[in-house]
Amino acid sequence: MRFVDEYRDAEQARALAAQIAALCEPGRHYKFMEVCGGHTHTIYKHGLEDYLPETVQLVHGPGCPVCVIPMGRVDDTIHIARQPDTIMTSFGDMMRVPGSDQTFFDSNAEGTDIRMVYSPLDALKIAKNNPDKRVVFMAIGFETTAPSTAMTLLRAKADKVDNFSVFCNHVTIIPAIKAILDSPDLRLDGFLGPGHVSTVIGCRPYEFISSSYGKPITVAGFEPLDILQSIYMLLKQLDDGRCEVENQYGRVVPWNGNEVGLRVINETMELRPYFEWRGLGFISHSALRLRDEYADFDAERIFELPGVRVADPKACQCGEVLKGVLKPWECKVFGTACTPETPIGTCMVSSEGACAAYYNYGRFTRTRVREAIRS
Amino acid sequence: MCLGIPGEVIEIGTDRPDLAKVDVSGVRRSINIGLLEGEELHPGDWILIHVGFALSKIDEREAQAALDFLESIGQAYADEMDALKASAIE
């Protein structure tokens, strides 16, 4: 534990907090977006907002892969799972995400076989072990996860596993950040860049944020001191009149990313013309689909999909939460109709979702929400 | 699934150099190291693992920090470890 103390040292946190406060221009308000759900966790878990002056506000971004999957894709997955002799596989996080009628768990109660897997390679193994079944992997995730699906596709092709396919729902982070920057709802002063996505894509793709939009971005690690350090770095840039991409998480994130990861994504997948994101709507070139060379492994070409667009439940305000316009507890159903036990929206289902993070760390439990409503 | 979890390399596959036996908090599983092609990887090295693939090589200090972060988030890490225990990558 001696290592960890260095990262957790409260003294250092207080010193950083003082440096942060000293950099804030009197009378100016600062709003920074943490793009990644992992950062949201650290911020709530450690109450980092308490270390910041009231004029520095953190808002949550769209960086939770489960949260941004639209309901129609959940329905499509269940539709595939209902086809004869089909085994659907997906990450555990997806199992409780509500579709328009059912979750994967509900669907299994009615006879489908939707299995949780740890890795796409586990899905491939299920395919090898069940040659008389069609085994589909519902792939979700940002560029952090896409290389894993890509590597699995390469192996499936090499091993000629012809009963395996991928229902590709991979999304890309850059167009989502651009959509937020173009959104009139939100005025941001800078970004805390996602840690693990950047391990794959590196730091260069963020350069447009500073060059075209004039905002600073700091790629940040996940420890409490990493986040405070990154906020300090953003404020320092603003104070110096600079606007750059900086990498606070250099001990894990290489500036150029993971070249093999980017190569295998490019070999197996290409950008879709557009893709629907929960809350953000349709965004151009914001998701990946399989290349023609992998058509035989593409569930979207093997199965006929309803592909119906399903509007989110009216009461759910995940969209505003994902865009950083609303704080989780400002949603009408937060902590009352929508809880981790009975989630309405994806932000409450996924452990990386901002609503689940708020709720689970007891900052706004049911009782406190009631109190807040009463006052 | 979005978590990056640290693991210590126990051995590299001889027939399959893209696979390594890795210890994650006492759980030993096969992890694909194909994305680290070109990097020297030896038993005792630490890697950051995401859905069965090593994303990057990290040092021991970073591994401990990452582990501490994961332990602090509770259920999500417990779920991830349960998923890993059920994994049998080949």
Side-chain angles (χ1 to χ4, degrees):
Chain A
M1 296 302 282
R2 66 187 187 282
F3 299 112
V4 173
D5 290 344
E6 286 180 43
Y7 290 86
R8 278 287 155 72
D9 190 350
E11 290 269 309
Q12 281 191 50
R14 276 192 291 272
L16 267 171
Q19 287 175 307
I20 285 170
L23 275 178
C24 289
E25 222 174 278
R28 179 170 175 185
H29 283 78
Y30 301 87
K31 200 180 261 191
F32 300 126
M33 173 174 277
E34 88 269 6
V35 175
C36 170
H39 290 154
T40 307
H41 255 284
T42 303
I43 290 161
Y44 293 146
K45 170 76 185 173
H46 297 281
L48 292 188
E49 285 174 318
D50 298 343
Y51 284 84
L52 301 175
E54 279 178 16
T55 51
V56 177
Q57 197 191 346
L58 297 175
V59 294
H60 329 299
C64 159
V66 175
C67 302
V68 299
I69 295 292
M71 239 181 205
R73 301 295 280 191
V74 177
D75 290 355
D76 285 347
T77 309
I78 292 173
H79 175 83
I80 296 173
R82 284 180 181 153
Q83 304 311 304
D85 300 319
T86 302
I87 299 172
M88 176 60 74
T89 57
S90 193
F91 296 127
D93 310 47
M94 282 306 301
M95 297 301 287
R96 293 192 309 124
V97 174
S100 55
D101 286 329
Q102 292 182 316
T103 65
F104 293 174
F105 277 133
D106 299 335
S107 175
N108 279 349
E110 288 183 7
T112 58
D113 187 355
I114 307 179
R115 301 184 190 177
M116 284 185 258
V117 287
Y118 170 66
S119 168
L121 285 173
D122 286 315
L124 183 64
K125 188 172 180 184
I126 292 173
K128 287 178 178 173
N129 290 345
N130 294 274
D132 53 337
K133 301 273 191 188
R134 296 186 290 184
V135 176
V136 187
F137 175 63
M138 188 223 187
I140 62 159
F142 286 91
E143 289 94 333
T144 326
T145 319
S148 308
T149 304
M151 293 284 272
T152 305
L153 281 165
L154 292 173
R155 177 143 290 276
K157 195 168 193 179
D159 292 353
K160 299 187 173 61
V161 189
D162 57 11
N163 63 327
F164 176 76
S165 62
V166 168
F167 179 40
C168 189
N169 293 280
H170 284 300
V171 285
T172 55
I173 194 71
I174 296 297
I177 294 178
K178 191 170 180 304
I180 284 164
L181 281 164
D182 288 335
S183 159
D185 302 340
L186 196 61
R187 189 194 61 83
L188 291 169
D189 297 285
F191 291 87
L192 294 176
H196 293 145
V197 165
S198 308
T199 310
V200 175
I201 67 173
C203 299
R204 280 176 199 274
Y206 303 119
E207 280 169 357
F208 79 99
I209 298 173
S210 48
S211 62
S212 304
Y213 288 87
K215 311 279 182 198
I217 174 166
T218 302
V219 173
F222 294 92
E223 284 294 304
L225 285 182
D226 289 333
I227 307 262
L228 291 176
Q229 172 80 28
S230 301
I231 293 167
Y232 170 80
M233 288 166 75
L234 286 173
L235 285 164
K236 186 82 178 76
Q237 284 204 47
L238 292 173
D239 190 56
D240 292 347
R242 286 182 297 124
C243 174
E244 297 163 9
V245 182
E246 290 188 315
N247 186 7
Q248 186 274 337
Y249 200 30
R251 56 189 199 270
V252 174
V253 172
W255 189 260
N256 289 323
N258 182 308
E259 284 169 28
V260 183
L262 292 171
R263 191 181 73 220
V264 294
I265 294 175
N266 191 42
E267 204 173 322
T268 55
M269 301 175 201
E270 62 186 7
L271 286 172
R272 292 174 192 268
Y274 55 85
F275 191 72
E276 187 190 4
W277 292 54
R278 183 180 279 241
L280 300 175
F282 288 93
I283 306 178
S284 302
H285 302 114
S286 66
L288 298 164
R289 66 182 177 197
L290 301 199
R291 286 192 181 276
D292 288 344
E293 292 83 342
Y294 286 82
D296 293 346
F297 297 94
D298 187 353
E300 280 177 86
R301 302 190 218 199
I302 296 169
F303 300 89
E304 210 161 298
L305 297 183
V308 177
R309 187 168 180 243
V310 185
D312 289 333
K314 277 208 178 81
C316 173
Q317 294 180 291
C318 275
E320 279 73 16
V321 172
L322 286 166
K323 282 190 286 191
V325 176
L326 282 188
K327 288 280 188 182
W329 61 272
E330 290 171 327
C331 171
K332 291 191 288 282
V333 291
F334 176 85
T336 51
C338 185
T339 65
E341 295 81 43
T342 53
I344 294 176
T346 45
C347 298
M348 189 63 97
V349 180
S350 169
S351 55
E352 281 119 36
C355 296
Y358 250 78
Y359 192 94
N360 289 335
Y361 293 130
R363 303 216 130 206
F364 285 87
T365 59
R366 213 180 284 248
T367 322
R368 288 187 62 186
V369 169
R370 279 202 209 102
E371 281 167 7
I373 292 168
R374 271 203 296 273
S375 65
Chain B
M1 46 68 64
C2 203
L3 301 175
I5 56 178
E8 185 181 2
V9 176
I10 302 300
E11 60 176 309
I12 313 280
T14 39
D15 301 341
R16 288 280 304 275
D18 60 332
L19 285 184
K21 184 74 74 192
V22 176
D23 186 302
V24 183
S25 298
V27 177
R28 290 187 178 193
R29 288 291 179 274
S30 274
I31 296 297
N32 188 298
I33 52 170
L35 293 172
L36 299 186
E37 184 190 286
E39 278 210 51
E40 292 257 330
L41 210 56
H42 304 287
D45 285 343
W46 287 83
I47 51 176
L48 194 66
I49 303 160
H50 175 66
V51 301
F53 288 80
L55 269 189
S56 53
K57 194 171 155 182
I58 53 178
D59 65 24
E60 189 179 355
R61 193 175 86 155
E62 176 59 26
Q64 293 295 336
L67 208 56
D68 193 61
F69 164 75
L70 291 165
E71 279 161 6
S72 81
I73 65 173
Q75 194 55 44
Y77 183 50
D79 291 346
E80 188 80 358
M81 286 305 293
D82 284 346
L84 176 70
K85 282 175 196 161
S87 171
I89 285 171
E90 55 186 34

